[in-house]
Amino acid sequence: MTQHILSGIKAYFGTFKILSQLGLWRYFWIPIFISVVIAIIIFTSAYGLSDNIGGFLSQWWTWDWGKQTVNLISEIFGGLLIIVFGFILYKHIVMALSAPFMSPVSEKIEAHLLGNSTEKHRDTTFGEQLWRGIRINLRNLIMEILLTIPILLIGLIPVIGLVSTVLIFLIQAYYAGFGNMDYTLERHFKYAESLNFVRKNKGVAIGNGIVFMFFLFIPVIGVILVLPLSVTAATIRTVELLKVEKENG
C-alpha cells in the first residue's frame, strides 16, 4: 500500500512539462473558473455558518456547569465540521462539472504516453461525460459523508481525535484521487468496472489525493493549479496501471 501511495505522489513530478509540451493549459480555463467560483461560494458560506453551528450545538447543554467549556468545544467542532464538509462538497462539485473538459485532456496525455493516438476507446459524448462525472462524484460524496460523520464524532474523544483527523484526511484524499483517475477510466471501463479498478488500486488514488488536498491549503494558487496537476498525475499513473493489467490479462 505504501509503495502505491508513493507512486501516486511521484506521478506529479513532470506534470508541468507534459502540460506545456502538449499545450494543454488552454483546456483548463473553464475548469479553473469553475474551481475558483465554487471555492468562493462554499468557503465564504462556511465562514458565516461556523458560529451558527457552534451556537446550535451548545444550546443542547442546558446546565450552567461547564457551559463555557461546552461553548468552546461546540465552536471548535462547528468550525471543523464546516471545513471538512466544505472540502468534501468543493472537490466533488468541481470534479463532476469538470468531467467533460478533463476527459479530452486525459485522452491526449494517454495518447502521448502510449505513442498511439489511434487506440480504440469507448466513445462518449459531452453529456455522457458530464453524467458520468455527476454519477461517480455523487456516489463518492455519499460514501465519504457516511464514513466521515462517525469518525468526526469519535474525534471528540481526547487523544483519539488526532487519529480521526488523519483518517478523515486520507478518506478525502482517496475520493479525490478516485475522481481524478476516473477521467481516464471512463474511456476504458463502465461504471461498475471503474469502481472495482480503483478499489484494487486504492493506494494510487490516496497518493494522488494527498497532493490534491495539500494544494487546497495553498491560498488562491492551490485552487488554480490543483486540477491541471492532479488530473495529469492521475492520468500518468492510471495509464501505467492499465498497461500492466492489459499485459498480465
Side-chain angles (χ1 to χ4, degrees):
M1 174 71 80
T2 302
Q3 185 178 355
H4 289 161
I5 291 174
L6 290 175
S7 72
I9 294 172
K10 288 177 182 177
Y12 278 85
F13 296 103
T15 51
F16 271 104
K17 181 180 178 180
I18 288 182
L19 287 167
S20 301
Q21 184 180 351
L22 300 181
L24 297 177
W25 287 103
R26 66 182 185 276
Y27 290 95
F28 289 96
W29 289 117
I30 293 178
I32 286 173
F33 176 75
I34 293 171
S35 179
V36 171
V37 170
I38 297 299
I40 291 172
I41 291 173
I42 287 179
F43 292 110
T44 53
S45 300
Y47 181 78
L49 286 171
S50 58
D51 289 340
N52 295 334
I53 292 177
F56 173 77
L57 293 173
S58 63
Q59 74 179 2
W60 294 93
W61 186 269
T62 57
W63 301 274
D64 291 332
W65 175 81
K67 188 70 173 177
Q68 288 185 328
T69 302
V70 171
N71 287 340
L72 179 60
I73 293 173
S74 297
E75 287 180 11
I76 293 172
F77 184 73
L80 180 61
L81 201 66
I82 285 295
I83 291 170
V84 169
F85 285 99
F87 277 126
I88 291 174
L89 285 173
Y90 165 79
K91 69 175 183 287
H92 288 301
I93 292 172
V94 169
M95 287 194 291
L97 297 180
S98 299
F101 306 99
M102 296 298 94
S103 293
V105 169
S106 173
E107 187 170 5
K108 289 180 184 296
I109 294 171
E110 181 176 0
H112 169 74
L113 294 173
L114 297 178
N116 180 12
S117 60
T118 61
E119 183 170 339
K120 296 294 183 182
H121 297 128
R122 295 174 63 245
D123 291 327
T124 53
T125 64
F126 183 97
E128 288 171 334
Q129 291 164 1
L130 179 60
W131 171 240
R132 164 92 171 212
I134 292 172
R135 188 182 178 192
I136 284 284
N137 282 282
L138 182 59
R139 178 260 181 197
N140 287 351
L141 172 64
I142 293 170
M143 292 297 297
E144 193 169 345
I145 289 174
L146 290 176
L147 290 169
T148 299
I149 289 176
I151 294 175
L152 271 175
L153 294 175
I154 293 171
L156 293 175
I157 303 172
V159 182
I160 295 178
L162 296 175
V163 178
S164 71
T165 301
V166 174
L167 286 176
I168 289 172
F169 180 82
L170 291 176
I171 289 171
Q172 292 227 16
Y174 170 70
Y175 285 109
F178 192 136
N180 289 326
M181 290 175 71
D182 194 63
Y183 295 135
T184 300
L185 295 177
E186 67 92 17
R187 293 190 301 279
H188 296 268
F189 299 131
K190 294 181 180 178
Y191 178 83
E193 294 170 331
S194 290
L195 299 185
N196 291 330
F197 184 90
V198 178
R199 286 193 195 104
K200 287 192 300 183
N201 298 284
K202 61 175 68 72
V204 174
I206 292 172
N208 179 270
I210 285 174
V211 181
F212 180 100
M213 294 303 299
F214 276 126
F215 262 109
L216 297 185
F217 290 104
I218 304 173
V220 185
I221 298 298
V223 174
I224 292 173
L225 292 179
V226 66
L227 271 179
L229 300 186
S230 62
V231 171
T232 302
T235 302
I236 292 170
R237 193 68 188 99
T238 304
V239 168
E240 291 173 356
L241 292 170
L242 288 168
K243 186 177 179 181
V244 170
E245 186 172 278
K246 187 176 179 180
E247 290 172 351
N248 295 336

